[in-house]
Amino acid sequence: MVVSTERLADALRAAMRENERLRTEKERLTEPVAIVGMACRYPGGVTTPQELWRFVADGADAIGDPPTDRGWNPTNGRQGGFLHDAADFDREFFGLTEEEALASDPQQRLLLETSWEALESAGIDPLSLRGSRTGVYAGVIFHDYAYRFRPPPPGIRGYAYFGSAGSVAVGRLAFHYGFEGPAMSLDTACSSSLVAMHLAVQALRRQECSLALAGGVAVMSTPELFEETARQGEALAGDGRCKSFAAAADGMGLSEGAGMAVLERLSDAVRHGHPVLAVIRGSAVNQSGAANGFGAPNGPSQERLIRQALADAAVSAGDVDVVEAHGTGTPVGDPIEANALAAVYGAGRTRPPLLLGSMKSNFGHTQSAAGIGGVIKMVQAMRYGLVPPTLHVDRASPHVDWDGVELVRRPTAWPAGPGPRRAAVSAFGVSGTNAHLVLEQAPPSATEAPVARTVPWVLSARSAEALAAQAERLLAYVGDRPELSVVDVAFTLAVGRASLPVRAAVVADDLGDFQRGLEDIAKNPEAPVGKGAALDIVEHFVRGANVDWRTYFEGTGGRFIELPTAAFRRRRHWL
């Protein structure tokens, strides 16, 4: 058979096109995903990722008595980690009626607030995402807020079911912002928020969404979990504290929390100029299966999970420096987890030992907000080059082979190595669903000094009171950071924030004049323009016009930086 040269050339070209298609597909399905924004609420009054970092780096302890305003029987009130202001909410900001806000589970309200804050921290105007293929993935495991009342109290009929429905928790976010990507509420128990992040990463790689919010929330409206856990014979620590991986471990302490991250394909984040806080290299989810009992951890399954995540991340066990572990402080579960980590990360390790810790020793077990909390902690730890201590450890558990693994009991410098800093986070659900995620520090970015010129700092809110509060927060923030570039602040406020109805601005050349202008706005939010010569564009903005701030800041070198987000005017809503 004779094959013509032309046919052979066509076949070769077709093969090359197919090879290129497969290569592109592989790159797309393995592309790192950037964390570009974060927000949180955790016990101890923690309301931002920066506050979380200071809390764990200082070795602080958030465990205390239950809230006194939820109607709990004091005799049932074991200690734990609680969000004492979980009932507070700015309903006007999010457009809810009084009845709807009252009927809505505090978890739904916390997801609304943290999603807004996370988007603003990413330099993304939340209102600009209407109609976008943004996805929402959130762990929500409690659904009992409005169900406590049968029949529902007058005034919330019609809202009672939807106010506590898990599906509505993410549906409410999609509705409020106008997202048109996937929206999934997840309940895999304690692993829910890390499973949510895993699914969001997969969706971004498969181009099912262009941007994703992922995290979780846990608020206990009743003491039922304390009571049921005790009835089941499960170990609850007598003092409510998780003694992670300690010889004295005597059970877990139940807690609450909320956390949200904004995820974006790394190439998209770089193209859009969003701040890359860290990179998710890989993740995996599996099941414990038929272990020693329902809800009991399975060491071999955990080992397989870790190897799966490392393979997805295309890194070796020796490339990971630190693991933020599940570490609930149970005398059975902790040794199984630590030995699985040692079997994978510790075996034959030639570099410094794997450093191991758990922020449950600070906050207690925040359940469906635990995994995202561990991610926020590790993102900050890589940023600052410090591994925070694990608390309440008398000595490391004698039931663990610690060869190649070290339990961090005091603040420890991040191990030096030839490559970027890497960390892993584990979360294991009582459902048997396990998740493991591999993080890498943000790649270095080329930064140029901003061009010095007169720029406006623009503020907006939904009320004059909120505007004054925002000016006060920004004033306090910049007052502690004299090194900030006024152009970067201006760029972040203008390009990365929503333009809300009540507006003001300060126009100046130096930080001192900006601070004095913020003081004026804080005292008199009705005066729209602060210190300095007004620019025409600012006058248009404060009168309500839409302004193309990106075009205005072209050529300035302005970039997104960390700044305070919206100042919510919260007040109590609790049935």
Side-chain angles (χ1 to χ4, degrees), residues 22 58 95 164 193 203 263 298 309 372 377 395 411 417 423 425 449 489 527 548 561:
L22 292 173
D58 291 344
S164 290
S193 60
L263 309 181
N298 184 330
I372 179 64
K377 174 188 170 183
R395 58 190 176 91
V425 181
V489 175
D548 182 0
I561 59 172

Side-chain angles (χ1 to χ4, degrees), residues 391-568:
L391 311 183
H392 317 305
V393 179
D394 55 338
R395 58 190 176 91
S397 171
H399 306 296
V400 174
D401 178 3
W402 291 104
D403 187 28
V405 179
E406 179 184 332
L407 180 60
V408 180
R409 300 172 60 181
R410 59 189 59 84
T412 302
W414 198 281
R421 294 168 181 160
R422 293 194 183 95
V425 181
S426 288
F428 307 133
V430 71
S431 63
T433 300
N434 309 314
H436 195 73
L437 185 144
V438 179
L439 295 167
E440 185 174 283
Q441 73 179 123
S445 58
T447 58
E448 299 178 4
V451 176
R453 83 178 202 195
T454 300
V455 290
W457 286 10
V458 297
L459 305 178
S460 68
R462 295 203 185 278
S463 68
E465 294 80 7
L467 189 71
Q470 188 177 347
E472 289 172 358
R473 291 178 66 183
L474 184 58
L475 180 63
Y477 187 86
V478 300
D480 293 336
R481 296 164 180 81
E483 75 283 359
L484 287 176
S485 157
V486 297
V487 175
D488 287 343
V489 175
F491 178 82
T492 302
L493 292 173
V495 179
R497 298 289 189 268
S499 296
L500 301 175
V502 182
R503 303 178 181 185
V506 183
V507 183
D509 298 303
D510 61 62
L511 187 59
D513 280 344
F514 277 114
Q515 289 174 296
R516 286 183 283 276
L518 290 174
E519 289 174 355
D520 290 346
I521 293 172
K523 293 174 185 174
N524 182 16
E526 305 294 341
V529 181
K531 296 283 185 183
L535 300 173
D536 287 344
I537 195 170
V538 173
E539 296 285 359
H540 289 305
F541 171 79
V542 296
R543 291 194 182 106
N546 293 325
V547 174
D548 182 0
W549 288 114
R550 267 194 187 275
T551 300
Y552 175 82
F553 279 94
E554 281 182 1
T556 65
R559 60 192 176 90
F560 292 115
I561 59 172
E562 185 177 337
L563 290 178
T565 54
F568 298 124

Side-chain angles (χ1 to χ4, degrees), residues 70 74 163 183 195 211 279 335 409 438 446 480 569:
R70 297 188 191 177
V195 172
L211 190 76
V279 169
R409 300 172 60 181
V438 179
D480 293 336
R569 311 303 291 165

Side-chain angles (χ1 to χ4, degrees), residues 262-325:
V262 182
L263 309 181
E264 191 173 25
R265 288 182 291 272
L266 180 58
S267 57
D268 290 342
V270 172
R271 187 173 71 255
H272 295 146
H274 294 151
V276 179
L277 308 177
V279 169
I280 300 173
R281 286 292 303 264
S283 61
V285 169
N286 79 354
Q287 245 286 335
S288 291
N292 295 325
F294 180 73
N298 184 330
S301 286
Q302 292 182 15
E303 290 181 37
R304 288 191 290 272
L305 171 77
I306 296 166
R307 292 193 173 96
Q308 222 177 314
L310 291 170
D312 187 56
V315 299
S316 69
D319 294 327
V320 175
D321 310 306
V322 181
V323 169
E324 171 66 14

